[in-house]
Amino acid sequence: MLGGVLGCVGGLGGHFFMPTRVMPSDHMRPFHPAGGSMVFNLLVAGVDHGDVVLFDAAAWGERHLSVERVIAVGGDRIAYTPGDRTLTLNGRPLEEPYVLNGDPVAGSPGAFSVQVPEGRLFLLGDNRGNSADSRFRFEAAEGGTVPLSAVKGALIDEEDPLVVGLRSAVPAGGGVLLLGAVCGVTALRLRRRAVTADTMPFSGV
């Protein structure tokens, strides 16, 4: 029973609530290149600046799930002026150590200034020169943003204790099941021997 519980918790929990997905393109380089695996927590209660999220791109008129980084949340003003070396968040230069080649304004189509509505997110890729993100979605959605409700999961580290625990539960459950089977077979054989010994006819002088 214990093995079954461990296997179910690890297998079902990991499959349904913390799935591993393959990055389909290079728009999240350098840390998340195409073909790399990403683990998402589908039970995320909320997201914040800098989080990498899995979201429904229907808000941009597309029928698929996509991955981008949260740059601004409801109430923020995110802006860019051609010639600047950074974006500004609420009037201050935004430090983004995760962007490719240290160039957060690469590929920007022009100046913009967006006051993010409450309950919505402004999302950008880390490879700014190759990312069809909120900067290119002003006509498709309000300020190029997506609703918070579109977020399906948030990226978590593969070394996160919860991820490691769930993955470990599967082989641990298998080990417990195997041990239980061996103990059960051994106990059954010992029981049969005991019964046989008790039923053997007694012969004496």
Side-chain angles (χ1 to χ4, degrees), residues 37-133:
S37 62
M38 310 174 80
V39 181
F40 289 93
N41 178 7
L42 303 189
L43 298 179
V44 60
V47 296
D48 203 353
H49 301 89
D51 288 347
V52 175
V53 296
L54 178 71
F55 68 99
D56 186 345
W60 290 346
E62 299 178 359
R63 301 177 62 181
H64 61 83
L65 296 179
S66 188
V67 177
E68 302 283 1
R69 189 180 295 273
V70 177
I71 303 301
V73 300
D76 288 336
R77 178 170 289 280
I78 184 74
Y80 168 64
T81 300
D84 287 351
R85 300 184 64 180
T86 69
L87 305 179
T88 59
L89 180 65
N90 300 322
R92 297 182 178 181
L94 179 61
E95 294 185 9
E96 299 185 89
Y98 40 77
V99 297
L100 181 66
N101 298 327
D103 189 358
V105 300
S108 292
F112 62 82
S113 181
V114 176
Q115 181 75 36
V116 181
E118 292 296 335
R120 298 184 73 87
L121 305 169
F122 192 89
L123 306 175
L124 298 179
D126 291 351
N127 180 3
R128 297 290 160 79
N130 184 29
S131 180
D133 45 41

Side-chain angles (χ1 to χ4, degrees), residues 196-205:
T196 301
D198 289 341
T199 56
M200 287 180 62
F202 176 76
S203 60
V205 179

